[in-house]
């Protein structure tokens, strides 16, 4: 980006440089910090704030901004000219300008002509809003079948619209006055598609392709400086610089840092997963690192004996190890083993995990494979990959047919995923089934059995179990005690951020993109979820079947946050997380204030994470200053439906296997009319329209079947039969 900026400044300088006096300079965009240092910027502004500032300056009554650029897209909600909520696209590029440009090139059409051709479509194709790869296949298939270019391009215009509305906007409120900003707004067919799809007017402001730059300029003007840091047109255009790179050894990531050396000026840096070199204005020096504290509790709740030379039992520093390390460290050490923890997640471990993956799983699971490879390189004798069926939970969560509070199926089946992906050779894998929800059973049966398999006597096993529970309880009590101290120390007008996430997402610095540190560097206290008293919250009435333990903790945290105006949540999740495809929606419905949702995986870039964090801070500061914050929530709970045979309703049963046919026959034998739900193309279309697309395919199909049935029948004559499950599959939610 440096050469492009240098040439741009040179062109501007040659045309107007001798006629203007530069009072201030601002930079925005993903390379804003690097370019800010290069040109001598007085302010560095994130893209969300820049776009919103420009829109509010054009028309202070605008309340919604759709911004679609070449690589990303943004949704911004405004009130009285300030940001109150926002969202950005995740990994998918199907809703951005680059996707439209690629499709135009495929048909040898200039991108400038795309809109005019698409507007001639007589029957735009329904291409849905799937990912780029599937979309391209779909487009090519229609083209081979004889579809016209006009109908294909018209379908693509609708596709980018539906992708944006369903995947970026989601359930966020779209206001009355909508601005469409970014270069894609040049495409008249996309504007028309938005207007038809929403039934609302879409306003394209003047200079919409550079509203980000305009907003940055306005921000600089509002914060005028006595003397600008701008290096000058001539100095920038004539600057001589060279590129080099080096490996940063400050952490296990070993990032390759790009260095820009400029004669007579400090060097510039970029390319790291953190901002160690790029940003020098951290505000976090006096703010405690609560995540480092938690890690210290985790790793030091048990003082291990020196068992060097003994057989090595290795455990990946991933997934539930971020909670149960004290337990297993004490258990295996007391049994006389050398307990080995894999290295902290780093670039090599991530790459090894990605190379080993034979199926598409979440990012933490892929990383776990890299940790296993790391343990094999350490020469362990045993790999400990337990089947943790359920976790420690509140007593009220175990009742009736529900027999546990579960982690996700990937965690339960870690050992089988590892076996299918990695050749472990002669290393023995320990895969005991564990029920932490049942303290006596795990103690008397499962752990005793594991100890005997390892050749230990009953007395040694009993002692190891006792020490394991003591170590784990010490960890839990240390975290709770420190959390209580932190919450009580917050001032009445202070803002603190709670990371509402699973520990293996938030406490692994590499997997979380070090988001807690980034937020701390913006000047805020950042608190782990288990610092909150989540065990004190009873969700059994509101959420009687929330059988995922981490889901229970996250929703309990939501209740605590809503009662404390000082706390604001940041929700870290992963692309493809099954439980979060539901829990995140529950959390969003419950939350009464802005929260930041970050979807992190192996493709995530640090610049995008920083943009979201900075924009989030801007939005919550704006909302915090509102007089009516937090808003009063009123919940209306509908009555449970009651089925009466006399109503003459037809019971529709989703086809979940041949057993559904048996159920239909059973109802009919009792004189109740019952039918099967059969799926077709309309099912899929409706299912995708009324779900977020992150849910499992059976859920999407079942939702589509139900809506289709209601669409074609009198709702008063329809009933649906849905079996109840208790997990860990997400369909029970």
């Amino acid at each position: 980006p440096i050469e492009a900026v240098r040439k741009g400044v040179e062109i501007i300088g040659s045309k107007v440089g001798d006629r203007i006096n530069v009072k201030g300079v601002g930079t925005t965009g993903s390379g804003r910090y690097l370019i800010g240092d290069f040109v001598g910027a007085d302010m560095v502004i994130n893209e969300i704030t820049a776009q919103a500032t420009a829109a509010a300056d054009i028309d202070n009554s605008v309340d919604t901004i759709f911004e679609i650029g070449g690589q990303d897209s943004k949704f911004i909600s405004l009130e009285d000219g300030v940001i109150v909520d926002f969202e950005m696209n995740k990994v998918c590029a199907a809703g951005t300008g680059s996707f439209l440009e690629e499709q135009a090139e495929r048909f040898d059409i200039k991108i400038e002509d795309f809109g005019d051709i698409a507007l001639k479509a007589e029957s735009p194709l329904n291409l849905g809003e799937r990912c780029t790869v599937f979309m391209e296949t779909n487009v090519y298939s229609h083209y081979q079948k004889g579809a016209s270019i006009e109908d294909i391009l018209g379908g693509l215009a609708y596709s980018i619209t539906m992708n944006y509305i369903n995947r970026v906007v989601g359930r966020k409120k779209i206001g009355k006055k909508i601005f469409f900003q970014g270069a894609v707004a040049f495409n008249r067919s996309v504007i028309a598609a938005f207007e038809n799809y929403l039934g609302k007017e879409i306003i394209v402001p003047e200079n919409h392709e550079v509203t980000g730059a305009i907003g940055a300029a306005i921000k600089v003007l509002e914060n005028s400086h006595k003397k600008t840091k701008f290096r000058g047109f001539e100095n920038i255009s004539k600057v001589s610089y060279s590129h080099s790179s080096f490996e940063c050894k400050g952490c296990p990531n070993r990032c390759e840092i790009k260095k820009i050396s400029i004669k007579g000026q400090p060097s510039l840096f970029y390319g790291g997963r953190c901002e160690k070199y790029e940003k020098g204005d951290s505000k976090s020096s006096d703010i405690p690192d609560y995540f480092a504290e938690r890690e210290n509790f985790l790793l030091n709740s048990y003082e291990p004996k020196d068992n060097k030379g003994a057989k090595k039992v290795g455990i990946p520093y991933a997934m539930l190890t971020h909670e149960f390390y004290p337990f297993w460290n004490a258990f295996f050490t007391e049994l006389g083993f050398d307990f080995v923890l894999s290295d902290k997640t780093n670039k090599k471990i991530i790459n090894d995990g990605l190379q080993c993956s034979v199926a598409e799983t979440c990012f933490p699971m892929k990383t776990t494979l890299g940790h296993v490879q790391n343990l094999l390189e350490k020469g362990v004798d045993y790999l400990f990959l337990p089947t943790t069926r359920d976790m420690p939970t509140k007593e009220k969560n175990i009742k009736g047919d529900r027999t546990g509070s579960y982690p996700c199926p990937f965690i339960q089946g870690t050992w089988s995923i590892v076996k299918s992906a990695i050749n472990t050779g002669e290393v023995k894998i320990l895969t005991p089934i564990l029920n932490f929800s049942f303290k006596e059973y795990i103690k008397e049966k499962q752990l005793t059995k594991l100890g005997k398999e390892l050749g230990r006597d009953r007395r040694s096993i009993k002692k190891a179990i006792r020490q394991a529970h003591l170590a784990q309880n010490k960890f839990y009590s240390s975290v709770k005690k420190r959390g209580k101290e932190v919450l009580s120390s917050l001032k009445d007008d202070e803002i603190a951020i709670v990371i509402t996430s699973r520990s293996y997402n938030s406490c692994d610095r590499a997997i979380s993109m070090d988001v807690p540190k980034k937020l701390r560097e913006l000047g805020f206290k950042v608190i782990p979820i288990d610092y909150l008293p989540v065990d004190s919250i009873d969700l059994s009435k509101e959420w009687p079947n929330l059988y995922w333990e981490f889901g229970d903790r996250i929703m309990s945290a939501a209740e605590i946050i809503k009662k404390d105006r000082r706390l604001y949540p940041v929700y870290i999740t992963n692309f493809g997380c099954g439980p979060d495809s539901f829990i995140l929606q529950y959390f969003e419905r419950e939350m009464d204030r802005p929260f930041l949702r970050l979807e992190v995986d192996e493709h995530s870039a640090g610049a995008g994470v920083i943009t979201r964090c900075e924009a989030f801070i801007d939005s919550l500061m704006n909302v915090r200053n509102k007089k009516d914050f937090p808003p009063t929530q009123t919940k209306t709970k509908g009555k449970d439906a009651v089925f009466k045979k006399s109503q003459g309703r037809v019971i529709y049963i989703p086809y979940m296997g041949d057993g559904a046919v048996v159920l239909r026959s059973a109802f009919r034998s009792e004189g109740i009319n019952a039918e099967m739900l059969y799926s077709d193309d309309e099912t899929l279309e409706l299912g995708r329209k009324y779900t977020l697309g992150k849910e499992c395919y059976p859920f999407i199909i079942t939702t589509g079947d139900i809506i289709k049935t209601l669409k074609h029948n009198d709702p008063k004559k329809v009933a649906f039969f849905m079996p109840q499950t208790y997990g860990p599959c997400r369909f029970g939610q």
Side-chain angles (χ1 to χ4, degrees):
I2 286 182
E3 185 58 21
V5 169
R6 190 193 67 78
K7 286 185 177 180
V9 171
E10 182 181 8
I11 293 170
I12 294 171
S14 65
K15 292 185 176 181
V16 299
D18 58 345
R19 302 200 304 274
I20 62 173
N21 180 20
V22 177
K23 292 289 188 180
V25 174
T27 55
T28 190
S30 57
R32 59 190 179 277
Y33 287 103
L34 173 67
I35 299 304
D37 288 336
F38 180 70
V39 301
D42 301 297
M43 286 189 72
V44 177
I45 303 105
N46 67 78
E47 303 99 294
I48 303 288
T49 300
Q51 292 286 353
T53 301
D57 184 74
I58 296 168
D59 185 343
N60 196 53
S61 65
V62 65
D63 54 15
T64 303
I65 299 171
F66 295 170
E67 195 275 336
I68 305 179
Q71 301 298 327
D72 62 17
S73 50
K74 310 172 188 72
F75 168 82
I76 308 170
S77 181
L78 303 175
E79 286 185 17
D80 300 323
V82 297
I83 303 169
V84 292
D85 201 2
F86 74 94
E87 188 58 84
M88 294 177 68
N89 69 318
K90 311 298 186 302
V91 180
C92 181
T96 62
S98 60
F99 173 69
L100 290 182
E101 195 165 13
E102 289 170 6
Q103 299 310 306
E105 289 178 2
R106 165 180 278 194
F107 295 107
D108 197 24
I109 294 170
K110 292 181 180 179
I111 188 63
E112 294 86 352
D113 299 330
F114 187 115
D116 291 336
I117 296 173
L119 287 173
K120 297 176 182 177
E122 294 183 3
S123 181
L125 296 174
N126 181 7
L127 301 172
E129 79 281 358
R130 296 187 294 174
C131 86
T132 307
V133 177
F134 292 118
M135 193 89 70
E136 288 177 347
T137 303
N138 209 4
V139 167
Y140 190 64
S141 174
H142 281 291
Y143 183 62
Q144 285 186 317
K145 293 176 182 177
S148 69
I149 297 295
E150 291 82 1
D151 285 349
I152 290 174
L153 297 188
L156 286 169
Y158 273 111
S159 173
I160 200 171
T161 297
M162 290 188 290
N163 185 289
Y164 181 87
I165 296 299
N166 294 334
R167 297 179 184 270
V168 180
V169 179
R171 288 192 170 90
K172 295 184 182 295
K173 180 183 177 182
I174 297 175
K176 297 179 180 178
K177 181 168 282 189
I178 305 168
F179 269 18
F180 187 9
Q181 299 172 187
V184 173
F186 278 118
N187 192 317
R188 294 195 300 136
S189 66
V190 176
I191 300 169
F194 268 119
E195 290 184 329
N196 288 343
Y197 191 80
L198 296 174
K200 296 185 177 185
E201 181 187 8
I202 303 296
I203 302 169
V204 179
E206 189 179 5
N207 302 315
H208 55 86
E209 75 277 22
V210 290
T211 41
I214 293 171
I218 293 170
K219 276 293 181 184
V220 174
L221 190 64
E222 291 174 349
N223 297 270
S224 58
H225 301 265
K226 292 181 179 179
K227 186 178 180 181
T228 181
K229 298 176 184 176
F230 183 51
R231 300 188 191 281
F233 291 110
E234 188 173 349
N235 290 335
I236 294 173
S237 62
K238 293 181 178 179
V239 71
S240 176
Y241 62 91
S242 61
H243 289 268
S244 62
S245 64
F246 64 93
E247 184 180 72
C248 173
K249 298 181 180 179
C251 78
N253 276 318
R254 296 291 192 268
C255 295
E256 183 182 359
I257 306 298
K258 307 295 190 299
K259 180 180 179 181
I260 309 296
S261 301
I262 304 174
K263 189 175 181 180
Q265 297 177 17
S267 298
L268 309 178
F269 304 91
Y270 67 97
R273 283 177 70 88
C274 73
E275 288 69 46
K276 177 179 179 180
Y277 294 95
E278 287 96 320
K279 290 178 66 178
D281 57 346
S282 172
K283 303 174 185 176
S284 65
S285 57
D286 297 328
I287 301 175
D289 185 347
Y290 299 128
F291 282 82
E293 288 181 358
R294 184 194 183 279
E295 185 174 45
N296 182 56
F297 294 145
L298 182 79
L299 299 179
N300 297 299
S301 289
Y302 170 75
E303 294 184 13
K305 301 174 182 178
D306 186 2
N307 289 340
K308 298 297 181 184
K311 290 276 188 179
K312 295 180 180 179
V313 176
I315 189 170
Y317 197 3
M319 294 298 194
L320 296 186
T321 305
H322 286 278
E323 176 156 345
F324 294 123
Y325 176 74
F327 190 95
W328 299 120
N329 187 21
F331 180 76
F332 284 105
T333 302
E334 291 292 332
L335 288 180
F337 291 95
D338 182 6
F339 193 60
V340 179
L341 185 66
S342 63
D343 295 336
K344 292 182 181 180
T345 306
N346 55 48
K347 188 162 63 176
K348 182 181 184 303
I349 284 177
I350 291 173
N351 289 337
D352 286 347
L354 296 177
Q355 290 174 11
C356 291
S357 297
V358 294
E360 189 58 37
T361 62
C362 63
F363 184 34
M365 189 66 244
K366 294 174 185 175
T367 305
T368 300
L369 297 176
H371 281 279
V372 170
Q373 194 67 45
N374 180 259
L375 289 170
L376 294 176
E377 292 168 2
K378 289 177 181 287
V380 297
D381 301 290
Y382 297 92
L383 274 173
F384 183 58
L385 303 172
T387 299
T388 305
R389 180 185 175 275
D390 48 64
M391 298 178 64
T393 191
K394 308 163 190 172
E395 290 185 9
K396 290 185 178 180
N397 286 344
I398 308 299
K399 58 186 178 182
D401 294 328
R402 179 172 166 182
T403 58
S405 199
Y406 310 108
C408 79
F410 282 156
I411 289 177
Q412 291 185 339
T414 298
W415 71 270
S416 61
I417 295 173
V418 169
K419 284 288 287 183
S420 65
I422 298 175
N423 180 6
T424 57
E426 299 297 319
V427 177
K428 184 176 180 180
I429 302 179
L430 304 174
T431 62
I433 297 174
L434 301 169
N435 295 81
F436 276 104
S437 292
F438 302 90
K439 298 176 183 177
E440 293 305 315
Y441 183 72
I442 189 175
K443 187 188 300 183
E444 298 298 329
K445 299 289 185 181
Q446 295 169 325
L447 293 176
T448 300
K449 180 182 178 182
L450 175 61
K452 287 180 178 179
E453 288 178 359
L454 293 169
R456 298 312 191 253
D457 60 74
R458 191 170 186 84
R459 183 178 179 183
S460 299
I461 295 169
K462 196 171 183 179
K463 180 185 176 185
I465 294 172
R466 183 172 65 253
Q467 290 299 321
H469 280 289
L470 286 173
Q472 191 65 31
N473 289 336
K474 182 180 179 182
F475 167 67
Y476 284 146
S477 61
S478 297
V479 167
K480 289 177 182 177
K481 179 183 177 184
R482 183 58 176 145
K484 189 175 182 180
E485 292 171 354
V486 171
L487 291 174
S488 63
S489 70
L490 294 177
K491 299 174 183 177
D492 290 342
D493 60 346
E494 192 170 0
I495 290 177
I497 295 169
V498 179
I499 306 296
T500 51
S501 174
R502 295 159 184 79
S503 54
Y504 54 81
N505 270 334
S506 60
C507 299
D508 187 315
R509 293 181 183 273
I511 287 180
S512 71
M513 298 292 292
D514 221 351
V515 164
K517 180 184 176 184
K518 288 176 169 63
L519 291 166
R520 195 161 49 86
E521 287 177 342
L522 293 173
F524 295 88
K525 291 179 179 177
V526 187
I527 303 171
I529 188 174
D530 41 12
Y531 271 33
L532 302 185
V534 292
D535 289 346
S536 66
I537 304 299
D538 182 9
L539 298 176
S540 58
K541 291 183 179 179
E542 288 290 324
W543 304 94
N545 194 36
L546 193 56
Y547 46 71
W548 290 308
E549 176 59 24
F550 286 117
D552 185 278
R553 296 180 192 181
I554 289 169
M555 295 306 296
S556 295
E559 292 300 315
I560 294 170
I561 291 168
K562 286 193 299 182
K563 295 174 183 176
D564 192 332
R565 72 185 309 271
R566 302 170 300 177
L567 303 180
Y568 292 81
V570 170
Y571 197 124
I572 301 177
T573 184
N574 306 110
F575 182 76
C577 177
D580 272 351
S581 64
F582 289 89
I583 295 170
L584 190 50
Q585 295 184 57
Y586 302 158
F587 187 86
E588 186 174 2
R589 290 171 186 170
E590 289 294 316
M591 196 44 56
D592 63 348
R593 62 200 67 191
F595 75 94
L596 177 61
R597 174 175 53 196
L598 291 172
E599 191 173 90
V600 179
D601 68 6
E602 63 269 26
H603 305 294
S604 298
V609 172
I610 279 289
T611 295
R612 288 167 169 83
C613 289
E614 291 178 345
F616 173 62
I617 297 301
D618 287 346
S619 66
L620 69 84
M621 295 298 288
N622 293 331
V623 172
R624 181 66 181 271
N625 292 329
K626 292 176 63 178
K627 293 181 180 179
D628 58 345
F629 178 81
T632 303
Q633 282 192 319
T634 55
K635 284 189 177 182
T636 55
K637 188 174 181 180
K639 295 181 179 179
D640 292 335
V642 177
F643 176 81
K644 294 181 179 180
K645 186 176 178 180
S646 60
Q647 293 174 332
R649 293 176 182 262
V650 178
I651 292 182
Y652 287 90
I653 305 169
Y655 185 79
M656 297 183 184
D658 292 341
V661 180
V662 177
L663 282 172
R664 180 183 64 183
S665 299
F667 279 117
R668 287 179 174 178
S669 70
E670 294 297 320
I672 299 172
N673 192 3
E675 297 290 346
M676 302 294 298
L677 286 171
Y678 289 107
S679 308
D680 53 21
D681 289 342
E682 186 182 10
T683 293
L684 186 57
E685 181 182 346
L686 290 169
R688 290 192 183 281
K689 183 176 181 180
Y690 290 100
T691 60
L692 295 182
K694 297 176 182 293
E695 304 88 349
C696 58
Y697 193 65
F699 177 82
I700 294 171
I701 290 295
T702 304
T703 301
D705 279 332
I706 290 173
I707 295 172
K708 182 183 69 175
T709 303
L710 291 171
K711 179 180 176 182
H712 296 293
N713 295 276
D714 180 1
K716 294 180 180 179
K717 294 297 180 182
V718 169
F720 297 99
F721 179 87
M722 284 298 298
Q724 179 70 66
T725 66
Y726 287 96
C729 168
R730 58 182 135 170
F731 203 82
Q733 292 294 300

